[in-house]
Amino acid sequence: MTTTARALGASSLPVCWSSEFDALRSSQARALAVEHTVASVDRMPAAYRYGIAAALRLFPVAFRVATGHRPQTATPQQIRHGMARLRGLPGYGEVLRATTALALYGALDGARPEDRNTAGGSR
Protein backbone atom coordinates (compact mmCIF):
# COMPACT_ATOMS: atom_id res chain seq x y z
CA MET A 1 0.00 0.00 0.00
CA THR A 2 1.38 3.39 -0.99
CA THR A 3 1.61 6.56 1.07
CA THR A 4 -1.21 8.03 -0.97
CA ALA A 5 -3.45 5.00 -0.46
CA ARG A 6 -2.86 5.05 3.30
CA ALA A 7 -3.47 8.80 3.51
CA LEU A 8 -6.66 8.64 1.43
CA GLY A 9 -7.94 5.73 3.50
CA ALA A 10 -7.26 7.58 6.75
CA SER A 11 -8.77 10.82 5.47
CA SER A 12 -12.41 9.67 5.24
CA LEU A 13 -12.64 11.83 2.12
CA PRO A 14 -14.44 9.07 0.18
CA VAL A 15 -17.26 9.31 2.76
CA CYS A 16 -17.64 12.97 1.83
CA TRP A 17 -17.47 12.24 -1.90
CA SER A 18 -20.28 9.71 -1.62
CA SER A 19 -22.42 12.21 0.25
CA GLU A 20 -21.79 14.99 -2.25
CA PHE A 21 -21.99 13.16 -5.58
CA ASP A 22 -24.57 10.64 -6.76
CA ALA A 23 -21.95 9.08 -9.06
CA LEU A 24 -19.90 8.09 -5.99
CA ARG A 25 -22.67 6.63 -3.82
CA SER A 26 -22.18 2.95 -4.65
CA SER A 27 -19.33 1.01 -3.08
CA GLN A 28 -18.12 -0.06 -6.54
CA ALA A 29 -17.98 3.56 -7.75
CA ARG A 30 -16.13 4.62 -4.59
CA ALA A 31 -13.63 1.79 -5.05
CA LEU A 32 -12.97 2.90 -8.64
CA ALA A 33 -12.71 6.50 -7.47
CA VAL A 34 -10.18 5.67 -4.78
CA GLU A 35 -8.19 3.44 -7.12
CA HIS A 36 -8.03 6.11 -9.83
CA THR A 37 -7.15 8.90 -7.39
CA VAL A 38 -4.37 6.89 -5.76
CA ALA A 39 -2.93 5.75 -9.10
CA SER A 40 -2.99 9.30 -10.48
CA VAL A 41 -1.41 10.91 -7.43
CA ASP A 42 1.20 8.15 -7.25
CA ARG A 43 2.36 9.13 -10.74
CA MET A 44 3.11 12.71 -9.64
CA PRO A 45 6.58 13.91 -8.65
CA ALA A 46 7.48 13.08 -5.06
CA ALA A 47 7.03 16.61 -3.71
CA TYR A 48 3.45 16.80 -5.00
CA ARG A 49 2.69 13.27 -3.89
CA TYR A 50 3.85 13.86 -0.33
CA GLY A 51 2.18 17.26 -0.17
CA ILE A 52 -1.14 15.74 -1.19
CA ALA A 53 -0.65 12.88 1.28
CA ALA A 54 -0.06 15.41 4.08
CA ALA A 55 -3.16 17.38 3.11
CA LEU A 56 -5.21 14.17 3.07
CA ARG A 57 -3.90 13.20 6.52
CA LEU A 58 -5.00 16.59 7.82
CA PHE A 59 -8.47 16.34 6.27
CA PRO A 60 -10.28 14.88 9.32
CA VAL A 61 -8.92 17.66 11.53
CA ALA A 62 -9.70 20.37 8.98
CA PHE A 63 -13.21 18.98 8.51
CA ARG A 64 -13.79 18.91 12.26
CA VAL A 65 -12.62 22.52 12.59
CA ALA A 66 -14.88 23.58 9.69
CA THR A 67 -18.00 21.72 10.86
CA GLY A 68 -17.58 20.59 14.45
CA HIS A 69 -18.18 17.00 13.29
CA ARG A 70 -16.18 14.01 12.10
CA PRO A 71 -16.68 13.13 8.41
CA GLN A 72 -18.03 9.69 9.36
CA THR A 73 -20.75 11.12 11.63
CA ALA A 74 -21.68 14.31 9.78
CA THR A 75 -25.00 14.62 8.01
CA PRO A 76 -25.04 15.11 4.22
CA GLN A 77 -25.86 18.79 4.74
CA GLN A 78 -22.94 19.21 7.17
CA ILE A 79 -20.65 17.45 4.72
CA ARG A 80 -21.67 19.73 1.84
CA HIS A 81 -21.24 22.80 4.03
CA GLY A 82 -17.86 21.66 5.36
CA MET A 83 -16.54 20.70 1.94
CA ALA A 84 -17.61 24.07 0.51
CA ARG A 85 -15.74 25.85 3.31
CA LEU A 86 -12.62 23.71 2.89
CA ARG A 87 -12.60 24.11 -0.91
CA GLY A 88 -12.51 27.86 -0.33
CA LEU A 89 -9.16 27.69 1.46
CA PRO A 90 -6.19 28.68 -0.72
CA GLY A 91 -3.91 25.72 -1.35
CA TYR A 92 -5.99 23.21 0.56
CA GLY A 93 -8.98 23.86 -1.65
CA GLU A 94 -6.95 23.06 -4.76
CA VAL A 95 -5.97 19.68 -3.31
CA LEU A 96 -9.60 18.87 -2.52
CA ARG A 97 -10.82 19.98 -5.94
CA ALA A 98 -8.11 17.99 -7.72
CA THR A 99 -8.64 14.79 -5.74
CA THR A 100 -12.41 15.09 -6.14
CA ALA A 101 -12.03 15.52 -9.90
CA LEU A 102 -9.78 12.46 -10.05
CA ALA A 103 -12.31 10.49 -8.02
CA LEU A 104 -15.15 11.45 -10.34
CA TYR A 105 -13.10 10.57 -13.42
CA GLY A 106 -12.29 7.19 -11.92
CA ALA A 107 -15.87 6.39 -10.99
CA LEU A 108 -17.40 7.61 -14.22
CA ASP A 109 -14.73 6.20 -16.53
CA GLY A 110 -14.05 3.04 -14.59
CA ALA A 111 -10.47 3.30 -15.81
CA ARG A 112 -7.08 3.62 -14.19
CA PRO A 113 -4.38 5.99 -15.45
CA GLU A 114 -2.01 3.15 -16.39
CA ASP A 115 -4.75 1.60 -18.57
CA ARG A 116 -4.64 4.57 -20.93
CA ASN A 117 -2.30 5.02 -23.85
CA THR A 118 -1.22 8.59 -23.13
CA ALA A 119 0.96 8.76 -26.25
CA GLY A 120 -2.07 8.42 -28.48
CA GLY A 121 -4.12 11.15 -26.82
CA SER A 122 -7.48 10.67 -25.22
CA ARG A 123 -9.54 7.65 -25.89
Side-chain angles (χ1 to χ4, degrees):
M1 184 177 273
T2 67
T3 300
T4 307
R6 285 189 300 275
L8 185 56
S11 74
S12 301
L13 189 55
V15 170
C16 295
W17 291 337
S18 68
S19 183
E20 284 190 293
F21 302 101
D22 289 338
L24 298 172
R25 290 214 198 294
S26 76
S27 59
Q28 181 182 8
R30 270 192 316 280
L32 288 169
V34 167
E35 183 179 8
H36 181 80
T37 303
V38 168
S40 296
V41 172
D42 282 347
R43 294 179 72 147
M44 293 179 177
Y48 291 105
R49 201 170 49 243
Y50 293 126
I52 289 173
L56 291 173
R57 288 282 184 181
L58 291 172
F59 178 77
V61 173
F63 188 88
R64 180 105 186 206
V65 168
T67 66
H69 301 279
R70 294 177 39 225
Q72 301 90 335
T73 61
T75 66
Q77 182 179 3
Q78 291 166 334
I79 288 174
R80 285 189 296 277
H81 174 72
M83 292 299 288
R85 287 187 68 191
L86 293 173
R87 285 189 184 113
L89 296 175
Y92 200 76
E94 283 82 3
V95 169
L96 290 178
R97 284 190 293 277
T99 54
T100 300
L102 290 170
L104 286 166
Y105 285 135
L108 296 173
D109 254 2
R112 295 172 40 188
E114 56 266 14
D115 292 339
R116 296 190 179 131
N117 178 1
T118 55
S122 63
R123 37 180 200 148

